[in-house]
Amino acid sequence: MDSKTLKLKNVPKGRPLAIIMAWLLAKPKQLKNYIDIYINLGFDVITIATSPWQLLWPTKGTQMIARDAVQFLENNPNYSQLCIHGFSVGAYQFSELMVIMSQDMERYKPVLDRFQCQVWDSAADITEIPIGIPYEDIPQSGNNSLYARKSNVPFDSCKSSALILVSENDLIGPTKSNLEVKNNWEPAGIKVTFKSWEKSGHVTHMIHHKEEYIGLLYKHLEENMLEQLALKARAKL
């Protein structure tokens, strides 16, 4: 990879890319369970992680991550099929990418058009994430404060079909707020598959409901990604 442009060498044209937006303090061993799913289906995978301090100091944290991620996507157009799979605070981090791209739609529309589907697991509103500091004490960054941005920023930019996975006993990424997302997206023309389990927990849906979780994910990929992925997904079930 070129350190300045973030352009990869020798990426086969048309290879799908899964972008995994990790939850806070996610361990590599935990993320591997999801990475392996995509690798086995023929995807390349990148993981984007956000630390607590990067969340607290957006101008030197989440916004810098977003700029690098957008640059990577723009400069690697051979990844013509993109899937975002985000967890918890990863939903906010993805919105930072959307903020950047929404500011210059003529430039970034080709990048946005490459997104074929979205998967949101336990997506959390910024005010619901327990990071040890009261919400009112979180530092602000002027008019561009991440905490002042609305959670519907990505809704206006990324139009790909979405799979939303939640549980009723998750206080961080609750069913209610995710249902509001669904209700905002659908009138905007975004197809949403919504699954809420009665009991599961924050970012533990695949642990407690593995067979159903993977089945929903494969079906979502079948409907929205390349034909060969559908064949591979069916073979896995």
Side-chain angles (χ1 to χ4, degrees), residues 11-169:
V11 176
K13 189 173 183 179
R15 183 186 293 274
L17 177 69
I19 306 160
I20 292 183
M21 295 281 188
W23 62 93
L24 286 179
L25 305 178
K27 298 177 181 178
K29 183 178 179 180
Q30 295 170 316
L31 294 174
K32 186 177 183 298
N33 294 325
Y34 302 93
I35 292 171
D36 286 348
I37 291 173
Y38 286 100
I39 293 294
N40 290 336
L41 292 175
F43 283 78
D44 284 349
V45 179
I46 62 169
T47 300
I48 298 176
T50 305
S51 69
W53 80 262
Q54 288 170 322
L55 189 65
L56 287 170
W57 299 100
T59 56
K60 296 186 180 297
T62 56
Q63 292 171 18
M64 291 184 67
I65 293 171
R67 285 194 292 272
D68 285 347
V70 169
Q71 183 182 18
F72 175 86
L73 294 175
E74 183 180 29
N75 290 341
N76 290 281
N78 277 0
Y79 286 126
S80 59
Q81 302 262 336
L82 304 175
C83 173
I84 175 73
H85 192 142
F87 302 84
S88 189
V89 71
Y92 172 72
Q93 181 64 75
F94 185 66
S95 77
E96 287 281 24
L97 275 69
M98 296 298 103
V99 167
I100 292 172
M101 289 192 273
S102 67
Q103 292 170 348
D104 191 346
M105 289 297 289
E106 183 177 356
R107 175 179 177 179
Y108 292 115
K109 187 178 185 301
V111 177
L112 290 165
D113 287 345
R114 287 153 52 199
F115 282 94
Q116 302 300 302
C117 62
Q118 312 174 59
V119 181
W120 297 109
D121 181 323
S122 309
D125 184 90
I126 191 66
T127 61
E128 296 165 337
I129 299 170
I131 51 179
I133 297 177
Y135 174 73
E136 59 270 17
D137 293 341
I138 293 175
Q140 303 294 300
S141 304
N143 292 332
N144 290 324
S145 169
L146 72 85
Y147 307 105
R149 293 196 184 111
K150 301 298 184 183
S151 60
N152 65 351
V153 167
F155 305 175
D156 299 330
S157 304
C158 187
K159 301 291 187 181
S160 59
S161 297
L163 172 63
I164 298 178
L165 304 162
V166 294
S167 67
E168 294 181 14
N169 66 329

Side-chain angles (χ1 to χ4, degrees), residues 6 66 137 171 190:
L6 304 183
D137 293 341
L171 300 180
I190 300 173

Side-chain angles (χ1 to χ4, degrees), residues 14 52 70 111 144 171-172 180 188 207 214 219:
V70 169
V111 177
N144 290 324
L171 300 180
I172 301 172
E180 291 174 359
I207 294 174
I214 294 176
K219 187 174 187 294

